[in-house]
Amino acid sequence: MEILWFLMTAALLLVIVRAWIRRRRGGVGPQLVAPGSPDAADPADYGFVRQEQLDIRVPGPDEDLMDALAVVQGTQQWKAASRLLAGTPAEGEQRWQRVQAFAGAAALELAQQPGSGARWLKAWRLEAEEDPGGAQVHAEFLVQQAWRQSGGVGSTDHRIILEEAREACAKAAALAPDDPVPYITELAVARGLAYPPAEFDVLWAKVIDRAPAHMGAHIAALHYLCAKWHGSREQADAFAQAAAARAPQGSLLAALPLFALYEHLPDMALVQDFFGTAVVSRAVEGAMYAVRGARADDPMLPHVRHLLVFFLVNGERWTEAIEQVGHVDGYVGALPWSHDADPAHMYAVFRALAVGGYEANGGSPATLPH
């Protein structure tokens, strides 16, 4: 995986260098200058959140989730989390995101306080074994532990924790047979344990039987199907294009080809002017179309907007990039930032490039699109 992060960092540096070269040649691209310079574009002028205040836990605002997390972590009592999940519809995107958030909070607590952190999750499982929400959070917690805290992909610890997660997914599914979340969680297990294609297909059928248009599930399946795991670029593209083609009105599945493109970025970024190619333009336009037609409260909308920022900045589409930044600013718990060791920093760099490019082409806070 190290080579993936290296290539992504190299791609980012290429954007910055390319912008500098254009400026030296008299172009209109942004130029990175010293902080405090009269020519420096200041994101704060746009009302954007300071880098150190960016929330890396979630992709967008969810006040009920934040309130429940504050109670759970402040008191080490689990019931606020249980009540929130009990009132969150099973088939929607929001339940999946909230399960991930609670599990991520527990994993971070345990990392910061080995042996004593996340007592609330342990108590939840011991005191309410039949609670579907607790079972789902526990299964997702194990998955996150396997990917974050084990000895790495292929290690014995990684496999052992994922095997435990697989059993936890089965228990969670038994408690709520119609809920797609345990099966979506298992998609990450399938990737890590290298399920054979036939076994993966059976698991995927269980997901789409329960939530056929679930965007988060499709992104999780896409990971398994991409070239760096158990499929190929062609398989991933075909999967994404098929999902986009059958997407119901208002669905963000039309943006799935952009996620497939991102998954194979290291392979494709070697193409000269890759971000200006027709294949990128089509995927970006598909995602923009999906964003325009989506509900304003769709929990997956911030995910699509964050990825659009990445592609629009790289494609030097400054006005569109700054517009997307305006929608997502404050939260960075989404691709591509979450792949970086410092998500807030990576996002802040792209945000600064968006602001610089926007102002280099005549934009200002007063002309910011709304």
Side-chain angles (χ1 to χ4, degrees), residues 5 8-9 11-12 16 51 54 262 265 307 309-310 313-314 332 334-353:
W5 312 141
M8 287 180 63
T9 303
L12 173 58
I16 297 172
Q51 179 179 329
L54 292 168
Y262 174 75
L265 185 63
L307 197 59
V309 171
F310 175 83
V313 167
N314 275 302
V332 293
L335 292 174
W337 331 122
S338 57
H339 271 170
D340 194 79
D342 188 346
H345 173 73
M346 183 182 179
Y347 168 79
V349 169
F350 271 79
R351 182 178 65 184
L353 287 169

Side-chain angles (χ1 to χ4, degrees), residues 25-290:
R25 291 176 177 173
V28 294
Q31 181 182 21
L32 296 182
V33 297
S37 165
D39 294 327
D42 188 355
D45 291 341
Y46 294 79
F48 294 151
V49 175
R50 294 173 62 89
Q51 179 179 329
E52 60 270 24
Q53 296 175 328
L54 292 168
D55 195 327
I56 66 172
R57 299 171 297 175
V58 288
D62 185 340
E63 291 186 13
D64 290 339
L65 172 63
M66 293 298 104
D67 290 345
L69 266 175
V71 171
V72 166
Q73 295 186 302
T75 66
Q76 289 297 303
Q77 301 295 317
W78 53 268
K79 289 186 179 178
S82 178
R83 286 194 296 269
L84 181 63
L85 289 182
T88 306
E91 67 279 1
E93 306 279 355
Q94 192 172 56
R95 183 179 181 87
W96 166 233
Q97 291 196 23
R98 287 175 170 177
V99 166
Q100 286 185 303
F102 283 124
L108 182 59
E109 273 189 50
L110 190 59
Q112 294 173 338
Q113 307 166 47
S116 61
R119 296 190 310 274
W120 57 270
L121 180 55
K122 183 176 182 180
W124 194 354
R125 294 302 296 128
L126 289 174
E127 297 168 16
E129 292 184 9
E130 302 303 308
D131 184 343
Q136 292 172 12
V137 172
H138 180 240
E140 174 63 25
F141 166 78
L142 291 171
V143 167
Q144 294 197 26
Q145 284 293 95
W147 291 103
R148 294 180 180 187
Q149 304 297 331
S150 69
V153 177
S155 69
T156 300
D157 285 349
H158 183 75
R159 174 167 285 276
I160 288 173
I161 298 173
L162 283 179
E163 291 285 4
E164 187 179 354
R166 185 177 190 173
E167 294 178 10
C169 288
K171 291 177 182 177
L175 291 173
D178 295 330
D179 194 325
V181 169
Y183 300 105
I184 300 173
T185 300
E186 193 179 347
L187 290 171
V189 177
R191 178 162 49 100
L193 293 181
Y195 282 18
E199 189 174 355
F200 173 83
D201 289 344
V202 170
L203 174 59
W204 180 239
K206 292 176 181 177
V207 174
I208 59 174
D209 280 350
R210 292 161 176 79
H214 199 290
M215 179 71 172
H218 280 77
I219 293 173
L222 189 65
H223 294 330
Y224 174 95
L225 293 167
C226 71
K228 62 179 175 279
W229 289 105
H230 310 297
S232 66
R233 190 175 69 187
E234 291 73 22
Q235 281 181 278
D237 286 346
F239 176 80
Q241 295 293 343
R246 65 172 181 268
Q249 184 68 31
S251 169
L252 286 165
L253 283 175
L256 199 61
L258 192 66
F259 286 82
L261 206 57
Y262 174 75
E263 287 296 330
H264 297 91
L265 185 63
D267 298 327
M268 296 176 169
L270 300 178
V271 177
Q272 185 176 11
D273 193 26
F274 167 69
F275 291 97
T277 60
V279 66
V280 172
S281 294
R282 284 195 299 269
V284 168
E285 292 307 321
M288 297 284 280
Y289 169 82

